[in-house]
Amino acid sequence: MIDLNVDEWTQEEFLRNKQVLEEKGVKVLLIDTILNPIDGAQTTLYAPPLLKAEPSGSVFVFYCDTGKSSKERLGEFRAKFPNHVCISLRGGRGYWRKNLRI
């Protein structure tokens, strides 16, 4: 069972949970808050009007360079997107390993 009531996911948790959740029909998006996409990963630019249009229950995993700012802003993200699950990517873009596969 995937715990969606957490503040952070590691890259490995993100990749594993995304696979399981999407098999169940839940959309999982990696959200770029710094205008700097991650090489080898499908990212979505942080654009609140577009994100609000995503299906209710979708999981948004926000990232910044180090993971610190996105974690600190979780309260803001959760207030802005009450119908979605908001999580921060631990370590952010800096800890992303492009060769890590699940």
Side-chain angles (χ1 to χ4, degrees):
M1 186 79 185
I2 298 173
D3 185 4
L4 297 175
N5 294 314
V6 296
D7 288 341
E8 292 181 303
W9 279 351
T10 63
Q11 177 185 355
E12 184 176 351
E13 288 171 323
F14 166 75
L15 294 172
R16 287 186 193 281
N17 294 342
K18 177 179 172 65
Q19 184 177 21
V20 170
L21 290 168
E22 289 189 342
E23 286 173 1
K24 295 179 180 182
V26 177
K27 196 166 184 183
V28 179
L29 299 170
L30 186 59
I31 310 295
D32 175 0
T33 65
I34 54 173
L35 300 174
N36 198 352
I38 295 175
D39 292 336
Q42 182 178 349
T43 62
T44 302
L45 189 60
Y46 178 66
L50 298 176
L51 292 174
K52 286 180 181 180
E54 292 294 339
S56 184
S58 295
V59 178
F60 297 161
V61 181
F62 296 91
Y63 74 88
C64 60
D65 283 321
T66 64
K68 188 175 179 182
S69 294
S70 57
K71 185 176 180 186
E72 289 173 355
R73 293 178 62 195
L74 273 179
E76 171 191 333
F77 296 141
R78 288 174 174 159
K80 195 171 283 193
F81 307 108
N83 298 321
H84 303 89
V85 177
C86 297
I87 298 173
S88 176
L89 181 67
R90 181 176 293 148
R93 186 178 190 283
Y95 280 89
W96 188 269
R97 302 298 171 245
K98 61 183 172 184
N99 295 324
L100 179 62
R101 301 283 182 249
I102 300 300

